[in-house]
Amino acid sequence: MKQIIRKTAVFVLPFLFLYVITLLFYGNAISSPDLLRVGYFPVFEEYREVFQKEFDNKVCFYKVSEDKVKKSKILTIGDSFSEQSSFGYKNYLAEKYSVLHVDRFIASNQIQTLYQFLNSGFFEEHKVEYVILENVERGFVANLNEMDTLKMKMKPQLKKQLINQRPVMKKGDKSFFSRETIIFPFSMFRFYVDENYLSNENIYNVTLKTDKFFSNSSNKLLFFLEDVSRLELNNNLTEIKKLNDVLNDLSKKLWSKKVKLIVLPAPDKYDLYYDYIADKTNFPKPLFFQYLGSLKKEYIYIDSKKSLSSKLKSEKDIYFYDDTHWSPVGARIIANEIEGIIK
């Protein structure tokens, strides 16, 4: 019996050791910053304390799914950058203006959804002055190419969507014999000893020329693989011209409803900090904002990269250190930029 216990212990104890490390230092799979969670990096909970006041802000905007508001100055539609709640740009705007937000589970492809809204009488039912169309840089051209032209002409069945497509929360896996238990401890070790590598085949960890950009004084830049892997598409001028043509067409159609279109591309974290990467040997220069900025537009354009870049040397944490998104600092800069246009 003792021999069986001894052999079992030899097998189980290493897993127990790895499990404890994972339990202590790997974040909650639902609420942890995305780069730490996907890249299997250790969580630094104290880093976020500096933002707590902004996290506690009162939420002032309304959602389409709540079906409470039929008239507002601004309608926002976007991806995860627009889903930030108490500390998002739309909530800062909502402190001064009436803001209605299109839930992300209604608008998985923002451009397509706006065409559907135009064809469905949405803007007759919901009176708005401005539509802010936000899309992260890495996904903007891809969204255009993935649009379903048949669905663009269809009326969205909002009531059915609200009933059947509520967001589903994923549960984290911290069970004893999980993938996380095996991978995380080794990934955590590599985080402290290695430089310029791709973690878990998803998240880059590269060295910056400076440690001045984040309040934790780190000179590491964490960002998604897709910020780089989609450059072939996003650095293609022909594709960006197609995107601009569609946005011009969308703007004309919205204006026929007396609605002004504001286009807000959210810079990839890689693009915003690109000039400060110490070794760019395997990292091409992003050209999306350079190309899109040069084209003739019939919509209101927010050059968010220019606005945010101008503050990099005077403000820390414009983007979160541990996440792909802009922080409350960046969101406030964007809100101020928009306010300067619509006031």
Side-chain angles (χ1 to χ4, degrees):
M1 186 64 180
K2 287 183 179 178
Q3 190 174 5
I4 294 175
I5 294 174
R6 192 178 300 115
K7 287 183 177 178
T8 302
V10 169
F11 176 75
V12 171
L13 284 179
F15 280 98
L16 181 61
F17 175 69
L18 297 176
Y19 177 68
V20 170
I21 291 177
T22 304
L23 201 60
L24 290 176
F25 299 106
Y26 185 50
N28 183 296
I30 296 173
S31 59
S32 292
D34 55 7
L35 293 174
L36 304 187
R37 186 176 66 247
V38 178
Y40 290 114
F41 299 125
V43 166
F44 314 95
E45 292 183 356
E46 65 279 6
Y47 166 69
R48 294 252 172 167
E49 292 174 1
V50 68
F51 307 112
Q52 194 56 53
K53 183 181 176 184
E54 301 300 315
F55 293 161
D56 294 337
N57 283 340
K58 178 185 176 184
V59 173
C60 303
F61 62 89
Y62 292 94
K63 298 179 181 179
V64 168
S65 62
E66 296 170 338
D67 200 23
K68 292 180 179 177
V69 175
K70 300 297 184 187
K71 183 178 181 181
S72 59
K73 188 174 184 68
I74 301 168
L75 178 78
T76 59
I77 181 170
D79 50 38
S80 55
F81 281 77
S82 291
E83 287 296 292
Q84 291 176 330
S85 186
S86 59
F87 59 93
Y89 74 90
K90 67 180 186 296
N91 200 49
Y92 293 138
L93 289 171
E95 292 172 352
K96 296 184 179 179
Y97 309 102
S98 54
V99 175
L100 181 64
H101 177 62
V102 182
D103 312 62
R104 195 178 180 192
F105 70 92
I106 296 173
S108 58
N109 187 314
Q110 302 91 306
I111 304 173
Q112 178 178 302
T113 300
L114 282 178
Y115 273 108
Q116 286 181 277
F117 281 0
L118 279 164
N119 295 328
S120 70
F122 178 90
F123 291 105
E124 281 72 29
E125 184 179 358
H126 297 81
K127 299 297 183 184
V128 301
E129 291 183 45
Y130 294 91
V131 168
I132 299 177
L133 168 60
E134 177 274 319
N135 206 132
V136 68
E137 176 184 351
R138 61 177 165 274
F140 217 160
V141 176
N143 267 355
L144 178 70
N145 293 336
E146 292 168 3
M147 282 201 307
D148 187 331
T149 53
L150 291 177
K151 288 185 177 179
M152 284 169 57
K153 298 174 183 175
M154 293 168 57
K155 294 181 179 180
Q157 297 176 319
L158 279 180
K159 298 293 183 186
K160 187 177 179 181
Q161 280 183 289
L162 296 178
I163 294 171
N164 297 331
Q165 297 186 29
R166 291 287 179 184
V168 177
M169 298 299 290
K170 296 180 180 178
K171 294 181 179 180
D173 186 1
K174 283 190 178 181
S175 57
F176 189 68
F177 290 107
S178 68
R179 185 172 183 267
E180 282 76 9
T181 302
I182 302 297
I183 297 176
F184 175 74
F186 296 101
S187 180
M188 178 178 167
F189 174 75
R190 192 179 185 191
F191 177 79
Y192 288 111
V193 300
D194 205 353
E195 292 185 347
N196 301 326
Y197 66 97
L198 186 62
S199 182
N200 192 30
E201 300 182 349
N202 276 294
I203 308 298
Y204 277 106
N205 177 1
V206 302
T207 303
L208 294 170
K209 298 175 184 175
T210 176
D211 60 2
K212 305 296 185 186
F213 292 140
F214 303 105
S215 57
N216 61 358
S217 300
S218 175
N219 68 339
K220 292 174 180 288
L221 182 71
L222 311 179
F223 57 90
F224 259 135
L225 166 69
E226 286 187 350
D227 290 5
V228 179
S229 65
R230 289 195 173 177
L231 281 181
E232 184 175 354
L233 185 63
N234 288 340
N235 281 352
N236 185 321
L237 180 56
T238 301
E239 294 292 331
I240 294 176
K241 283 180 176 177
K242 284 166 54 180
L243 172 65
N244 191 61
D245 289 343
V246 170
L247 294 174
N248 281 336
D249 177 68
L250 185 59
S251 181
K252 289 177 188 173
K253 288 183 167 59
L254 283 168
W255 182 237
S256 72
K257 310 284 185 183
K258 304 301 180 189
V259 178
K260 296 174 185 173
L261 175 64
I262 298 176
V263 175
L264 170 63
D268 291 339
K269 192 176 180 183
Y270 166 73
D271 190 358
L272 185 64
Y273 294 94
Y274 177 79
D275 289 343
Y276 304 94
I277 293 175
D279 181 0
K280 301 188 184 72
T281 303
N282 296 313
F283 296 113
K285 182 178 177 60
L287 300 172
F288 176 85
F289 278 89
Q290 178 181 325
Y291 285 161
L292 184 60
S294 68
L295 300 176
K296 184 180 178 182
K297 302 172 184 65
E298 299 188 36
Y299 52 87
I300 301 169
Y301 174 60
I302 303 292
D303 191 340
S304 54
K305 181 184 174 184
K306 182 179 180 181
S307 302
L308 297 170
S309 297
S310 68
K311 301 289 186 181
L312 277 178
K313 292 184 178 178
S314 58
E315 301 269 8
K316 290 185 183 294
D317 300 309
I318 287 181
Y319 272 51
F320 287 118
Y321 165 77
D322 53 11
D323 199 279
T324 54
H325 302 90
W326 51 46
S327 75
V329 180
R332 181 71 76 179
I333 294 170
I334 294 299
N336 290 342
E337 186 78 18
I338 296 170
E339 188 183 344
I341 291 171
I342 65 175
K343 68 181 179 181

